[in-house]
Amino acid sequence: MTGFLDRAKEQAQRGLTQGKQKLDEVQAQRAGGDLLKKLGAAYYAERKGTGTPEATRSALGALENHIAEHGDGFLRA
């Protein structure tokens, strides 16, 4: 019986780990999408004359940092 409980506990732990990994992926994709939206808004504002190049560069830098840390998978989603 102990072996069965150990296997069940191990399987449950694996499921929790996989669930956390998936949640982290979804949150990273959502954050990447938000950063991409901010970059677009900054670029649009700059082109319209109400934004600054610094704001666009800042948004681009934040997006590039996110891609370096989490990859660019959200760009294909």
Side-chain angles (χ1 to χ4, degrees):
M1 186 69 168
T2 303
F4 171 76
L5 292 176
D6 289 340
R7 284 193 306 270
K9 182 179 175 184
E10 182 181 310
Q11 201 168 22
Q13 188 63 40
R14 257 193 314 243
L16 287 173
T17 301
Q18 289 173 344
K20 182 173 178 353
Q21 288 172 341
K22 184 62 178 174
L23 177 64
D24 291 345
E25 288 174 23
V26 168
Q27 288 175 334
Q29 286 182 347
R30 185 172 292 146
D34 289 344
L35 290 170
L36 192 59
K37 188 184 293 186
K38 287 179 184 177
L39 174 60
Y43 178 76
Y44 177 77
E46 181 184 348
R47 298 294 293 176
K48 189 176 172 191
T50 58
T52 64
E54 293 80 23
T56 303
R57 280 194 293 274
S58 175
L60 180 59
L63 181 62
E64 288 173 338
N65 288 339
H66 180 81
I67 289 171
E69 186 174 342
H70 301 285
D72 64 355
F74 68 95
L75 293 172
R76 297 185 245 331

